[in-house]
Each structure stands twice: as C-alpha cells, then as structure tokens.
Amino acid sequence: MPHDENQPAGDRSATAAEEGLRRSAAFLIDEALGFVFPAALRAAADTGVADALANGPATPAELAATTGTDARNLYRVLRLLATRNVVAEDEHGRFTLTETGQALRSDVPYSARNAVRMLTDRTFWLPAERMAHCLTEGTTAFDDVFGIPFFDHFARDEETAAVFHVGMAAMSDPENAVIAAAYDFPETGTVVDVGGGHGGLLLEVLRRNPGLEGVLYDRAHVLAGHRLDGDKEIAGRWSTAEGDFFAAVPAGDVHLLKRITHDWDDDQCVTLLSHCRRVLHPGGRILVLDAVVPRDNAPHQAKTLDLMMMASLTGRERTEADFAELLGRAGLRLSRILPTPTVLSVVEAVPV
C-alpha cells in the first residue's frame, strides 16, 4: 500500500508495526492448527485408507465401503491429506495415493503405518499437550498424565507396548541398512545390540559383515518378537540375551546403542555407557546411534524429537558437545561422528 505523504511519520510507523503483528498472528494461528494434520494421518492409518487405494483411484464412497467409514467425513480427511501430497484428488472426485503416501500402506517394504500410529499414540500425544508442565516443574509431563513413568506404563499395558515396539521397528527399518553401510565394522568379532528391540539393525550389520557374530540384548518380552530367525545369511552367527542394561550388558567388540541414550537422563546414560566400557574387548568401540542436534536455527527432526523426549521421558536429544561431556563422564572419548543418510549419526566412542 502506498504511503500517504501527508501522514505523520509516527502514524506510518504504527501502521507498519500493526501489519507486522497481523502477519505474526496469522502465522502463529496457522501453526497452532498444525496438530490436526497428524490426527488426520493417524485416522487414515487406523482405517487402512492407503491399503484401500493400492489398486488405484477411488471415490470417497468407494473407499468408505471398503474401509467401513463414513464417506462424507472420509472425504474431509482426504482433502486435508491432499494438501501435503499424501493423496491427490482428480477432477472426478477420485483420490489416488501419491508416491509420498505409498509408505502409509501396510503391505510395502518400509511401511510407515505402524510408526505413524506409534508417534500419534496417546502416550505421546497427551504429554505433549502438557508441555508447559515441563517448563514450570522441570520434569517430564508423562508421570503427571499417566501416574507412572513411561517404561513402567508400557510394562503394565501390553497393548500399548505392542504399538510402541512395532512402531519403533517400522520407524527403524528404513534406516537400518544405510546405517549399517555407513560404518566400517571390523572383519571379525562380536557385535552387541544393546536394547536392540526386534533386531532389525543387528540383522543388517551381520548381513553386510559375514565375519561378525551378534548378540541381541533386550528385555524378554521384547526379544519374543525378534526377526533374526530364518535368515540364511546370518544363520549360526547370532544369539539373544535377556536383561536390564542398567544392571549389566554382554561383552563384545562393538556395542550398538540405537535410539537408546536419547530416552534417558545424563546420569542414567553414564551408568549404561560405563557398563558397556567395562565389558568392551580390547580395541573395541561403542557406537551411539542417535541424532546430533545442530547449533543453528534451521529445522531439524532432532529438535522436534527433543520435545517429545521432554514431554514423555527423562532423556533428550544432544549436541556434539553434550555427547563429548556425557562420554567423558563414562570414561570414554568421542573419537568421531559420522553422518548417515538418515537423521541419525554414528557417534563413535572408545575407552580413555
């Protein structure tokens, strides 16, 4: 808008300031509505919409008949998903699953459906709503919402635990092969996957390194779902071990800790890392596979995950300096950080 030359300078300044505030308000309100998109994504994942679109375009009415949903409300969800290119609507009102949305199917490699369901589960959703509690009390909001700590809740609720573990596997599967390829493992020795869940990462490491043996270490109820059986490439080169990594860990030449340290506070991590250091074979190393938070203002998934950790757990995402300090407290030295094609980096540590 052109300035009125006869308008006092102070008034023009006030008008510009007000326009800036209007833009700010519009931006913040739009951002505050951002939670609705993950809710729509969750609804689509829960009802199997992507699977129903696997055979080609369909109208909301056709999809509703297949998925047992209400056609009108399904259309409203699809319309929002189309704004992020998960689906696309054509001129005939039919929806198609885009390339971006393919991993929402349950029947494809690297399906993200279970990961979406985990990340939008109430165990993360409800504490996030109470994030101000973390600021005023300096503690996680999870205990305030559910009455007990995060992992105690999962131990008590088998259905929620199942959602978490299959979701974590789905979140990890697209990462594992490229992470295994990003590091130069020794030709021989024993790799211990500490808190390794269903064993997806260990499977990829053993496939790529035929001279290595592996140990998958986790709680018994988690190991019950492991995926190491039946793979001829690694037959006879793996075993499982049950236990609590805060009490002890198996000995080995390489200890893997993927998405483990970010769950726990510094003191708990020092305990875990110290256990690994004590049983590390001579010349061995510890690989912490976690995001490394960059020191800038650019968007990064680690900055989002960090607030999820703050709301639901005692841990946090860490910077390079944070990792160096943490490892030092455990009698280790940060020897190098290797980026991977994923959000995670390989933080390599050796005994001091």
Side-chain angles (χ1 to χ4, degrees), residues 118-135 139-151 153-154 160 304-314:
M118 175 195 69
L119 293 169
T120 56
D121 188 78
R122 64 194 300 268
T123 50
F124 290 120
W125 194 284
L126 296 183
E129 186 270 334
R130 299 293 305 277
M131 199 169 292
H133 175 91
C134 304
L135 305 185
T139 62
T140 175
F142 192 94
D143 298 26
D144 190 56
V145 174
F146 291 97
I148 55 175
F150 183 87
F151 286 109
H153 174 72
F154 277 45
T160 299
T304 303
L305 289 173
D306 186 48
L307 296 194
M308 180 182 286
M309 298 301 106
M310 183 178 75
S312 291
L313 292 135
T314 61

Side-chain angles (χ1 to χ4, degrees), residues 2-23:
H3 292 305
D4 182 351
E5 296 299 331
N6 296 318
Q7 184 181 20
D11 291 346
R12 291 199 299 270
S13 177
T15 300
E18 288 175 0
E19 181 57 31
L21 288 170
R22 278 193 288 270
R23 288 195 299 268

Side-chain angles (χ1 to χ4, degrees), residues 271-295:
T271 297
L272 167 57
L273 291 164
S274 296
H275 289 324
C276 294
R277 177 182 54 77
R278 280 193 288 269
V279 297
L280 201 60
H281 293 163
R285 66 208 80 167
I286 298 169
L287 306 184
V288 177
L289 307 170
D290 258 325
V292 178
V293 184
R295 297 293 299 270

Side-chain angles (χ1 to χ4, degrees), residues 253-272:
D253 298 280
V254 179
H255 284 82
L256 305 176
L257 291 89
K258 184 186 178 196
R259 295 191 187 272
I260 300 296
T261 60
H262 76 161
D263 287 342
W264 307 99
D265 66 32
D266 287 358
D267 289 341
Q268 291 167 312
C269 287
V270 168
T271 297
L272 167 57

Side-chain angles (χ1 to χ4, degrees), residues 300-334:
H300 195 281
Q301 189 185 95
K303 297 174 183 179
T304 303
L305 289 173
D306 186 48
L307 296 194
M308 180 182 286
M309 298 301 106
M310 183 178 75
S312 291
L313 292 135
T314 61
R316 61 192 175 101
E317 306 297 336
R318 294 175 171 88
T319 64
E320 180 176 351
D322 292 331
F323 277 115
E325 180 180 357
L326 186 69
L327 294 167
R329 288 181 55 193
L332 298 163
R333 176 176 59 83
L334 196 167

